[in-house]
Coordinates of all heavy atoms in Angstrom, one line a residue:
F140 N 88.6 97.9 108.9 CA 88.1 96.8 108.1 C 88.5 95.5 108.8 O 89.5 95.0 108.6 CB 88.7 96.8 106.7 CG 88.3 98.1 105.9 CD1 89.0 99.3 106.1 CD2 87.3 98.0 104.9 CE1 88.7 100.4 105.3 CE2 87.0 99.1 104.2 CZ 87.6 100.3 104.4
P141 N 87.6 95.0 109.7 CA 88.0 94.0 110.7 C 88.3 92.6 110.1 O 89.0 91.8 110.7 CB 86.8 93.9 111.7 CG 85.7 94.5 110.9 CD 86.2 95.5 110.0
T142 N 87.7 92.3 108.9 CA 87.8 91.0 108.3 C 89.0 90.8 107.4 O 89.2 89.7 106.9 CB 86.5 90.5 107.6 OG1 86.3 91.4 106.5 CG2 85.4 90.6 108.6
E143 N 89.7 91.9 107.1 CA 90.8 91.8 106.2 C 92.1 91.3 106.9 O 92.2 91.2 108.1 CB 91.1 93.2 105.5 CG 89.9 93.7 104.7 CD 90.2 94.9 103.9 OE1 91.1 95.7 104.3 OE2 89.6 95.1 102.9
G144 N 93.0 90.8 106.1 CA 94.3 90.3 106.6 C 95.5 90.6 105.8 O 95.4 91.5 104.9
H145 N 96.6 90.0 106.2 CA 97.8 90.2 105.5 C 98.8 89.1 105.7 O 98.7 88.4 106.7 CB 98.5 91.6 105.8 CG 99.1 91.6 107.2 ND1 98.3 91.7 108.4 CD2 100.4 91.6 107.7 CE1 99.1 91.7 109.4 NE2 100.3 91.6 109.0
V146 N 99.7 88.8 104.8 CA 100.7 87.8 104.9 C 102.0 88.4 104.6 O 102.1 89.4 103.9 CB 100.4 86.6 104.0 CG1 99.1 85.9 104.4 CG2 100.4 87.0 102.5
E147 N 103.1 87.8 105.0 CA 104.4 88.2 104.6 C 104.9 87.3 103.5 O 105.1 86.1 103.7 CB 105.4 88.0 105.8 CG 106.7 88.6 105.5 CD 107.6 88.7 106.8 OE1 107.0 88.7 107.9 OE2 108.8 88.8 106.6
P148 N 104.9 87.8 102.3 CA 105.2 87.0 101.1 C 106.4 86.1 101.2 O 106.4 84.9 100.8 CB 105.3 88.0 100.0 CG 104.4 89.1 100.4 CD 104.6 89.2 101.9
R149 N 107.5 86.6 101.7 CA 108.7 85.8 101.8 C 108.7 84.7 102.8 O 109.5 83.8 102.7 CB 109.9 86.7 102.1 CG 110.1 87.8 101.0 CD 111.2 88.8 101.3 NE 111.2 89.9 100.4 CZ 112.1 90.8 100.4 NH1 113.1 90.8 101.3 NH2 112.1 91.8 99.5
R150 N 107.7 84.7 103.7 CA 107.5 83.6 104.6 C 106.4 82.7 104.2 O 106.5 81.4 104.4 CB 107.2 84.2 106.0 CG 108.4 84.9 106.6 CD 108.0 85.4 108.0 NE 109.1 86.2 108.6 CZ 110.1 85.7 109.4 NH1 110.0 84.4 109.7 NH2 111.0 86.4 109.9
V151 N 105.3 83.2 103.6 CA 104.2 82.4 103.3 C 104.4 81.6 102.0 O 103.9 80.5 101.8 CB 102.9 83.2 103.1 CG1 102.8 84.0 101.8 CG2 101.7 82.4 103.4
L152 N 105.2 82.1 101.0 CA 105.4 81.3 99.8 C 106.1 80.0 100.1 O 105.7 79.0 99.5 CB 106.2 82.2 98.8 CG 106.0 81.8 97.3 CD1 104.6 81.7 96.9 CD2 106.8 82.8 96.4
P153 N 107.2 80.0 100.9 CA 107.8 78.7 101.2 C 106.8 77.8 101.9 O 106.9 76.5 101.8 CB 109.0 79.1 102.2 CG 109.3 80.4 101.8 CD 108.0 81.1 101.4
K154 N 105.9 78.3 102.7 CA 104.9 77.5 103.4 C 104.0 76.8 102.3 O 103.6 75.6 102.4 CB 104.0 78.3 104.3 CG 104.7 78.7 105.6 CD 103.8 79.5 106.5 CE 104.4 80.0 107.8 NZ 103.5 80.7 108.6
L155 N 103.6 77.6 101.3 CA 102.8 77.0 100.3 C 103.5 75.9 99.5 O 103.0 74.9 99.1 CB 102.3 78.1 99.3 CG 101.2 79.1 99.9 CD1 101.0 80.2 98.9 CD2 99.9 78.4 100.1
H156 N 104.8 76.2 99.2 CA 105.6 75.2 98.5 C 105.7 73.9 99.3 O 105.6 72.8 98.8 CB 107.0 75.8 98.2 CG 107.0 76.9 97.2 ND1 108.1 77.7 97.0 CD2 106.1 77.3 96.3 CE1 107.8 78.6 96.1 NE2 106.6 78.3 95.6
A157 N 105.9 74.0 100.6 CA 105.9 72.9 101.5 C 104.6 72.1 101.5 O 104.6 70.9 101.5 CB 106.3 73.3 102.9
R158 N 103.5 72.8 101.5 CA 102.2 72.2 101.4 C 102.0 71.5 100.1 O 101.3 70.4 100.1 CB 101.1 73.3 101.6 CG 101.0 73.9 103.0 CD 100.4 73.0 104.0 NE 99.1 72.5 103.6 CZ 97.9 73.2 103.7 NH1 97.9 74.4 104.2 NH2 96.8 72.6 103.3
I159 N 102.5 72.0 99.0 CA 102.4 71.3 97.7 C 103.1 70.0 97.8 O 102.6 69.0 97.3 CB 103.0 72.2 96.6 CG1 102.1 73.5 96.4 CG2 103.1 71.5 95.3 CD1 102.8 74.6 95.6
V160 N 104.3 70.0 98.3 CA 105.1 68.7 98.4 C 104.4 67.7 99.3 O 104.3 66.5 99.0 CB 106.5 69.0 98.8 CG1 107.3 67.7 99.1 CG2 107.3 69.9 97.8
A161 N 103.9 68.2 100.4 CA 103.2 67.4 101.4 C 101.9 66.7 100.7 O 101.5 65.6 101.1 CB 102.8 68.1 102.6
A162 N 101.3 67.5 99.8 CA 100.1 66.9 99.1 C 100.5 66.0 97.9 O 99.6 65.5 97.2 CB 99.3 68.1 98.6
G163 N 101.8 65.8 97.7 CA 102.2 64.8 96.7 C 102.7 65.5 95.4 O 103.1 64.8 94.5
G164 N 102.8 66.8 95.4 CA 103.3 67.5 94.2 C 104.8 67.5 94.2 O 105.5 67.3 95.2
T165 N 105.4 67.9 93.0 CA 106.8 68.0 92.8 C 107.1 69.4 92.4 O 106.4 69.9 91.5 CB 107.3 67.0 91.7 OG1 107.0 65.6 92.2 CG2 108.8 67.1 91.5
I166 N 108.2 70.0 92.9 CA 108.6 71.3 92.5 C 110.0 71.2 91.9 O 110.9 70.6 92.6 CB 108.6 72.3 93.7 CG1 107.2 72.4 94.4 CG2 109.0 73.7 93.2 CD1 107.2 73.3 95.6
K167 N 110.2 71.7 90.7 CA 111.5 71.7 90.0 C 112.0 73.1 89.9 O 111.5 73.9 89.0 CB 111.3 71.0 88.7 CG 111.0 69.5 88.7 CD 111.0 68.9 87.4 CE 110.8 67.4 87.4 NZ 110.8 66.8 86.1
F168 N 112.9 73.5 90.8 CA 113.5 74.8 90.7 C 114.6 74.8 89.6 O 115.1 73.7 89.3 CB 114.0 75.3 92.0 CG 113.0 75.6 93.0 CD1 112.7 74.7 94.1 CD2 112.2 76.7 93.0 CE1 111.7 74.9 95.0 CE2 111.2 77.0 93.9 CZ 111.0 76.1 94.9
G169 N 114.9 75.9 89.0 CA 115.9 75.9 88.0 C 115.4 75.3 86.7 O 116.2 74.9 85.8
S170 N 114.1 75.2 86.5 CA 113.5 74.6 85.3 C 112.9 75.7 84.5 O 111.8 76.2 84.7 CB 112.4 73.6 85.8 OG 111.8 73.0 84.6

Side-chain angles (χ1 to χ4, degrees):
F140 296 79
T142 62
E143 296 187 334
H145 70 286
V146 296
E147 187 170 340
R149 299 177 188 183
R150 293 180 183 268
V151 79
L152 202 54
K154 289 183 181 180
L155 288 172
H156 292 164
R158 290 285 305 278
I159 293 165
V160 174
T165 299
I166 305 178
K167 294 184 176 180
F168 292 103
S170 178

